[in-house]
Every structure is written in C-alpha cells, then in structure tokens.
Amino acid sequence: MVTMYGIWCFITVLLFSPVAFSELCNPQDKKVLLQIKKDFNNPYLLASWNPNTDCCNWYCVQCHPETHRINSLVILSSVPQTNLSGPIPPSVGDLPFLETLQFHKLPKLTGPIQPTIAKLTKLKEIYISWTNVSGPVPDFLARLTNLQFLDLSFNNLSGPIPSSLSQLSNLVSLRLDRNRLTGPIPESFGSFKKPGPSLWLSHNQLSGPIPASLANIDPQRIDFSRNKLEGDASVLFGRNKTTQIVDVSRNSLAFDLSKVEFPTSLISLDLNHNQITGSIPVGLTAVDFLQGFNVSYNRLCGEIPQGGRLQKFDVYSYFHNKCLCGSPLTSCK
C-alpha cells in the first residue's frame, strides 16, 4: 500500500532531481554570455545573468525553441544613466547561432563595431543605435549575407559608406542616419537586388551627386535629407516605381522639377531647402495618397497645378520660391 509519505518522497525526488532541473541553455553559449557580462564590468542591466540559472531564462537573450542555442542578444536600456559601458566585447562573435544582435540606447557604449561580429554568419538583424560607437562602417558587414535589417543610426560613425554593402542581397532596410559619414553615396547601391532596401542616410555629411545607378532600384523609402548632396535627384523617381516616401530636403540639389515623372505610390515628398528649378508638374495631381509635401525654399516658378491633393497643403509647403503662384499661394497675375 502506497502511503502519503511515500507519495511525498516521490514528488520530492522528482522535483529536485537533475532531470527536473536540467538546463536547456548550451554550456558554451552560457560561458560566452558570462564573459560578455564580465567584459561589461557586471552591469546592473545584466543582473539576471546568474551562472546558477538557465541562461535561456536570462533577460536580454533568447534561445531557439528546439536547439536551445542563443539566437538573440538584445541589450537595451530605457534609463539614460545606465552603467553599461565600454566597447562591444569580442566574445559577442562566439555566439555562432545568433540571428539578432541589438545594442540600443546605451550612451556609454564606445569604440568601433566589433570585428568578431563578422563570424556571425547567421545574423539577420543588426541594430547598433543610439550609442557612442565610433569609427568606420566596417566593410566586413558585406560578408553577413543573411542580413535583412542593418541599423547603425544615431552613433558617431565616420568615414565613407562601404560600396560592398550592395552585396547584401537580402537587405530590406539600411539605416546609417545621424552619424558623421562623409564622401559620396556609393554608385554600387544601384546594384542592390531589386527592389532594393529602404535607404536612411540622413543627417550626415555626404557629398557629391546622387548616383544615376539608383534609377535601377525601387526602395520603399529614401531619406537623404540634411547632407551636402548636389545635382540631380530625378533618378529617384519614375512613373513605374512604387516608392512611397522620399526626403532629400536640406541639400544643394539642382534639377528641373517640371521634367520629373512621379510614381503614384508616393505618400510623402520633401524637397525643401535645395536649388530646384522649373515648375511643379501636373502629374503630381494624380498622386492620390499624398499626405506630406514640401517644396519650400527652392527656385520654382509658375502656377501650382489645381487638383489632386496639392491644395490640401498650406502656404508653408510652397513659400520662399522664385515665382510660384496659385492656391494656396496668392493668385497668379
């Protein structure tokens, strides 16, 4: 006869047996994570990284549901004064099954983008943003051919944009905005696999012309604003394109707007603070879903076409041009 004491003993053995508490986390992955924590001087942000617990349950990491290998490392802080500081540890490159790597809003994260990241060939997403990481955008990123999202925005990166990034055939979005990048937009960007990634290159010091090769791609979003770009931006447009958002404001672009054919897919178009000439093309009245529009501070002339959504925008979308007239501006003489 089984007594209550016997049942209790059986449950106790089951609960506290090594089988019941077997760790899912791969021991090598755990070793690497503890090294990362040590390299960051054991910050409070990684307090849950306790060597006596299963690392699949630690904050900032995620394990694959079947292999239990670490496939995501996401270290971010909502607190400005986080004590996580120093460079990205080299040991990050020793997590071979990593698909997502993120360091976000870590103002004391410094130094270059760690070269050992080149070993992480399974990476699909890199987000290193809102940090004080510096140095160049590394050429080795082009070897991470599974990348779909590359976000290096809001850092202190400098130097040119590597032309090799166009080899990332799976890339959906490229964010290099709000750094200190210089030099031209690479001509090779026109050879991205179509339709091409959304390109966020704003708030840098990029110079030279917009490459004519960009006529070959059809990204969803283009933001080249607040740079030192010159020349013709009409290559970004075309009747058969499906681009939705274009912002090339606050550059030194100079081309004839009246000759440009715009895609009807446009949702937002910002050309303000350039040296654009000509008139506003009638074709823009056929862009039915236009929600944002600004051509102010240019050298445009002629009557603003009537119809479509062009009269939905206020005076500030059109003012400070050479001789634009018509609603919403004053009537033409």
Side-chain angles (χ1 to χ4, degrees), residues 23 29-40 42-62 70 72-76 84 89 91-92 95 98 101-103:
E23 189 164 355
D29 288 352
K30 186 173 190 176
K31 181 180 177 182
V32 171
L33 290 172
L34 291 173
Q35 183 62 49
I36 291 171
K37 181 181 180 181
K38 181 181 178 182
D39 291 343
F40 277 136
N42 302 309
Y44 177 74
L45 193 60
L46 304 180
S48 70
W49 292 20
N50 183 334
N52 298 318
T53 59
D54 188 341
C55 73
C56 286
N57 296 324
W58 291 354
Y59 180 66
C60 300
V61 300
Q62 189 174 69
I70 298 294
S72 176
L73 176 61
V74 175
I75 301 179
L76 53 86
L84 188 149
S91 46
V92 165
L95 294 170
L98 213 58
L101 176 63
Q102 180 171 4
F103 296 102

Side-chain angles (χ1 to χ4, degrees), residues 38-39 76 104 106 132 152 190 220 248 264 275 298 311 320:
K38 181 181 178 182
D39 291 343
L76 53 86
H104 180 61
L106 301 170
N132 271 303
L152 304 179
Q220 185 181 58
V248 292
T264 56
Q275 299 164 26
N298 278 290
Q311 277 66 53
H320 284 277

